[in-house]
Amino acid sequence: MTSPSTPRTHDVADLALAAEGVRRIEWAEREMPVLRLIRERFERDRPLDGLRIGACLHVTTETANLMRTLKAGGAEVVLAASNPLSTKDDVAAALVAEYGISTFARRGEDNDTYYSHLRSVADTHPQLTMDDGCDLVNLLHTERPDQVAEIHAGTEETTTGVIRLRAMAADGMLRFPVIAVNEAQTKHLFDNRYGTGQSTLDGILRATNILIAGRHVVVAGYGWVGKGITSRMAGHGAHVAVVEVDPVRALEALMDGFAVMTAPQAAAWGELFITATGNINVFRREHFEAMHDGAIMANSGHFDAELDLSALKALAEGHVREVRENVTEFDIGGKKLNLIAEGRLVNLGAAEGHPAAVMDMSFANQALSAEYVARHHAELEPRVYVVPEAIDAEVARLKLAALGIVLEPMTAEQVEYVASWQHGT
Ligand SMILES: NC(=O)c1ccc[n+]([C@@H]2O[C@H](COP(=O)([O-])OP(=O)(O)OC[C@H]3O[C@@H](n4cnc5c(N)ncnc54)[C@H](O)[C@@H]3O)[C@@H](O)[C@H]2O)c1
């Protein structure tokens, strides 16, 4: 396969940052043994030979290691940021200058630049898309319908992206198969829960340096991300309340030991608010008006839509200022409300995203899913697929092996027992 004529270029903030980026990428690599094993095999087997991959992912040290793995497998990889605030500029520089991977990402890029970067990826005519939030797939379907037939398949990293893809498929709009990497157990059980749990706390602490112990913390959404955040906050001594709309999840939160409140109740009670719902305007004008002076808000859901930022800005009538790096204060008349990382993913905007050890599993799923679609795309239909069970199991097995943990197999008697229906009391 050869690449179409569009020249590969890059757009990063400062190539002089590459050396620092390399140091940090190598540091992350130490915590990514599963991906390293896959890379070594990819170097030998070249399962992605000549495949053009267009990726739209957070440009972090862990993503850099995924890009290196795909390239080692023989793919031609082009990367754009999946969020304007999540790019680590040193990593973007290292990808271009050290690893020869075409990268379009600048931290703090405006919306136009963000989409121009996605178009640069689209210009390379990807055959496999690797998305985090469905923006690249969306752009290809809406702006480049003539290119969609060239695409063998895609992979999707996050819950919000998978929800969008399922909505596209339900409307009959999805035109190529996509593997929902988020739905691998070795992804969401660990990345969404432990990864986001820890890195959300990390982002909030780096931005504010507040004491969590004793604080009233409100978490909206008790999905995998919400569960991770609440448990980490409780572990630091916070009083935690959950806002939910799903009765089962609300009950689960209650029995895990958290208060369950409506958004208005929580607004009047909380001091630190964190959204993780994948939904829009979870906290809005009436809630901002009910919050205490000094309240802090952060979002860990995929898009910056969970807090109604237009209402917040309107309430502040221009009385807005940066009070610390990554913290904006909105004076809404007698009360000051603080917003971390512009309401974008707090763990990536104000910290470094998930620890590499957890991204090891998420990106092992990405790499193995890419290999799977390279082999099997002709058999797949344009719909959302779960990650094959064999891949999920292999990622867990490799991770345990890397951690030096061995599982004892069942005895022959146990195998027979669990497979039979004749045994009774
Ligand atoms: N920050 C990160 O690095 C990171 C990592 C993984 C996932 N995510 C994103 O976090 C979000 C949540 O992911 P998840 O895996 O926990 O999803 P999930 O579907 O497991 O959980 C979301 C929960 O939010 C609840 N919810 C929906 N609307 C609500 C509302 N108006 N008020 C209160 N609760 C509401 C749902 O009932 C559900 O229980 C998604 O946008 C996902 O893409 C972010």
Side-chain angles (χ1 to χ4, degrees), residues 150-211:
E150 301 166 4
I151 300 171
H152 299 169
T155 63
E156 170 54 53
E157 172 76 7
T158 198
T159 316
T160 285
V162 173
I163 289 170
R164 299 207 156 176
L165 289 163
R166 290 231 155 86
M168 285 175 80
D171 282 350
M173 298 303 288
L174 184 64
R175 292 188 42 208
F176 53 82
V178 183
I179 309 273
V181 168
N182 185 67
E183 297 196 356
Q185 296 200 65
T186 47
K187 199 281 182 181
H188 66 261
L189 289 180
F190 304 94
D191 169 319
N192 299 29
R193 186 165 41 167
Y194 303 118
T196 320
Q198 179 173 314
S199 57
T200 296
L201 177 66
D202 185 16
I204 290 167
L205 293 183
R206 288 193 205 197
T208 63
N209 197 27
I210 56 171
L211 182 69

Side-chain angles (χ1 to χ4, degrees), residues 18-279:
E20 174 60 9
V22 171
R23 269 196 295 277
R24 295 203 311 112
I25 291 165
E26 288 175 353
W27 173 257
E29 187 190 6
R30 296 182 199 189
E31 292 276 310
M32 304 182 87
V34 178
L35 200 61
R36 198 171 52 239
L37 280 175
I38 294 170
R39 191 166 81 230
E40 285 162 11
R41 179 170 67 73
F42 275 16
E43 268 162 10
R44 290 192 304 274
D45 300 350
R46 308 272 295 176
L48 309 177
D49 226 1
L51 186 71
R52 293 189 301 274
I53 299 183
C56 174
L57 299 169
H58 301 297
V59 180
T60 62
T61 54
E62 296 80 17
T63 299
N65 283 306
L66 172 61
M67 297 298 107
R68 293 171 67 197
T69 305
L70 300 174
K71 194 177 173 196
E76 296 172 25
V77 191
V78 184
L79 172 67
S82 58
N83 184 293
L85 212 55
S86 64
T87 297
K88 307 302 167 197
D89 285 326
D90 57 343
V91 172
L95 278 164
V96 173
E98 179 70 20
Y99 302 109
I101 290 167
S102 202
T103 302
F104 299 86
R106 292 165 174 269
R107 181 181 155 87
E109 62 196 21
D110 60 21
N111 237 32
D112 289 346
T113 311
Y114 176 79
Y115 280 100
S116 81
H117 285 165
L118 292 193
R119 287 185 194 103
S120 297
V121 172
D123 288 343
T124 66
H125 291 254
Q127 295 160 306
L128 172 76
T129 61
M130 197 168 268
D131 227 341
D132 186 336
C134 196
D135 278 349
L136 180 59
V137 168
N138 202 320
L139 180 133
L140 284 161
H141 277 76
T142 50
E143 291 187 13
R144 307 282 176 97
D146 47 323
Q147 268 183 242
V148 166
E150 301 166 4
I151 300 171
H152 299 169
T155 63
E156 170 54 53
E157 172 76 7
T158 198
T159 316
T160 285
V162 173
I163 289 170
R164 299 207 156 176
L165 289 163
R166 290 231 155 86
M168 285 175 80
D171 282 350
M173 298 303 288
L174 184 64
R175 292 188 42 208
F176 53 82
V178 183
I179 309 273
V181 168
N182 185 67
E183 297 196 356
Q185 296 200 65
T186 47
K187 199 281 182 181
H188 66 261
L189 289 180
F190 304 94
D191 169 319
N192 299 29
R193 186 165 41 167
Y194 303 118
T196 320
Q198 179 173 314
S199 57
T200 296
L201 177 66
D202 185 16
I204 290 167
L205 293 183
R206 288 193 205 197
T208 63
N209 197 27
I210 56 171
L211 182 69
I212 300 295
R215 198 167 296 256
H216 286 190
V217 177
V218 175
V219 178
Y222 202 65
W224 295 108
V225 171
K227 290 187 215 311
I229 298 171
T230 47
S231 73
R232 268 60 200 154
M233 289 292 162
H236 280 254
H239 302 282
V240 181
V242 167
V243 176
E244 249 299 344
V245 289
D246 178 305
V248 175
R249 290 263 168 99
L251 205 52
E252 208 182 349
L254 191 75
M255 298 214 180
D256 282 343
F258 306 119
V260 174
M261 298 184 185
T262 61
Q265 288 168 335
W269 176 86
E271 295 167 300
L272 169 62
F273 296 82
I274 307 159
T275 49
T277 67
N279 210 337

Side-chain angles (χ1 to χ4, degrees), residues 33-35 37-38 364 368 393-403:
V34 178
L35 200 61
L37 280 175
I38 294 170
L368 296 180
E394 174 71 353
V395 173
R397 194 188 62 75
L398 289 173
K399 189 69 174 177
L400 283 171
L403 295 168

